[in-house]
Amino acid sequence: MVDGCLTGMETTTAEGRMVVPARTGRGVRVAAGRRVSVVDLEGGQVGDVFAFTADMSEHLSAAHTRAATDRLFPAQGRHFVTDRRRPILALVSDTSPGRHDMLIPACDPARYASLGAEPGHPSCAENLHRALAELGTASPLTPQPVNVFMHIPVDGDELRWLPATTRPGDAITFQAVVDCVFVVSACPQDLVDINGGDPTPLAIDLLPAD
């Protein structure tokens, strides 16, 4: 900790801010009852959010959450659930325009290859696994993330890829229902328009319990 802020790949549950540089991922351990915010520092940036139980036996499941809430994205006060249909996070508040996505998987090397990118392009899938490794843990899979600030309107049976509409300082805040591992990737996608072609940093704010 430096001046009350989380730095680098900090693993503590102390309060503070961890900056997630553009195109990278960071993770923190969040105790049950604690709140954690994802903040768009410059505006127009998508974040892939992943969460796992502390023992890594369950993960936040977008598909199970859609079934549990009957919504494409939970409303404030509702829960995100795991692949065992148990609550892991609650949506506490949202100061953004409220456009988020739980349909699109994490970008990965195969996605960028299909878009014509050069080998080695950063991806959210790789960011997840690097962040977990820095926390001393691992997952055998890449769950479908909660894509905060991602604007993917559904038009009939078609999806549209539009730039994020967030402003600098917009934030979405979750509360941990159980002890969990929380990872955010500042999405490096620059070949479709979701980040306006120019990925920028995010921040993770670890807050006290209510």
Side-chain angles (χ1 to χ4, degrees), residues 30-148:
V30 184
R34 296 290 294 273
R35 293 175 296 134
V36 60
S37 293
V38 181
V39 185
D40 189 350
L41 296 177
E42 298 183 20
Q45 175 62 39
V46 169
D48 284 33
V49 172
F50 306 86
F52 302 82
T53 54
D55 63 2
M56 300 298 290
S57 65
E58 301 175 51
H59 62 266
L60 189 162
S61 168
H64 290 82
T65 299
R66 293 195 305 269
T69 61
D70 297 320
R71 295 175 59 96
L72 290 176
F73 197 85
Q76 186 169 318
R78 301 293 297 274
H79 289 115
F80 299 82
V81 303
T82 72
D83 53 315
R84 298 185 186 177
R85 301 184 189 273
R86 296 191 284 205
I88 185 170
L89 298 174
L91 179 53
V92 175
S93 66
D94 184 5
T95 64
S96 80
R99 297 187 178 98
H100 310 286
D101 168 75
M102 293 199 310
L103 296 174
I104 304 301
C107 57
D108 55 25
R111 170 65 166 159
Y112 287 109
S114 73
L115 293 171
E118 294 293 326
H121 193 291
S123 73
C124 288
E126 294 170 304
N127 288 345
L128 165 66
H129 294 289
R130 289 194 185 102
L132 291 176
E134 291 289 342
L135 291 173
T137 190
S139 170
L141 50 80
T142 303
Q144 182 178 336
V146 172
N147 299 306
V148 297

